[in-house]
Amino acid sequence: MTAEYDQNYFENGQDLGISGYKNYHWMPEITIPMAYHIVRRLGINTTDRILDYGCAKGFLVKAFNLLGFDAYGVDISEYAISQTPNDVKDKCHSIKTIDDIKSIESNWDFCIAKDV
């Protein structure tokens, strides 16, 4: 993992001028409606499989799953993946290259790359 996407990036990024993050945490009041609008706009069905490419801490993955979708996430930040909520830990994976996705799952119907 590169140092650019470490704890400071997600927790102190604004203060340090390295990212837009500050104490990045689960905000269901924002993330669940966003996931809802994404699936409506893209026409995603509950039978579709979603990959969140660059999922960070897995909050969008969590929201999709709460809404009844089969969603997974990958990110290059080992720190971010280590911080995923317990209910999606098995659905979020750290990767080093795009080829690492093949070892996790395949046959995605949609790939979301939000804020990547």
Side-chain angles (χ1 to χ4, degrees):
M1 200 249 351
T2 59
E4 292 94 23
Y5 305 107
D6 60 5
Q7 182 175 0
N8 275 328
Y9 181 85
F10 291 97
E11 311 308 338
N12 307 306
Q14 285 181 353
D15 296 338
L16 298 172
I18 59 174
S19 76
Y21 293 109
K22 182 170 185 153
N23 300 321
Y24 185 46
H25 62 282
W26 169 239
M27 295 183 288
E29 67 280 3
I30 294 171
T31 312
I32 294 172
M34 176 178 44
Y36 171 78
H37 288 290
I38 289 171
V39 297
R40 287 211 49 219
R41 177 77 173 170
L42 296 178
I44 300 173
N45 298 306
T46 54
T47 56
D48 292 328
R49 302 184 75 229
I50 305 166
L51 176 66
D52 182 2
Y53 181 82
C55 70
K57 294 183 180 183
F59 300 140
L60 188 56
V61 173
K62 179 180 176 89
F64 283 135
N65 280 280
L66 286 172
L67 292 172
F69 295 89
D70 189 20
Y72 299 81
V74 294
D75 201 283
I76 63 169
S77 172
E78 292 175 10
Y79 169 75
I81 292 297
S82 76
Q83 301 300 303
T84 57
N86 286 335
D87 53 342
V88 292
K89 274 213 182 289
D90 63 327
K91 293 180 168 258
C92 295
H93 304 276
S94 176
I95 62 169
K96 298 200 184 317
T97 71
I98 192 77
D99 291 330
D100 292 341
I101 293 173
K102 294 175 189 169
S103 68
I104 298 165
E105 277 298 332
S106 61
N107 300 320
W108 308 107
D109 297 296
F110 290 88
C111 180
I112 308 295
K114 184 188 101 30
D115 299 332
V116 176

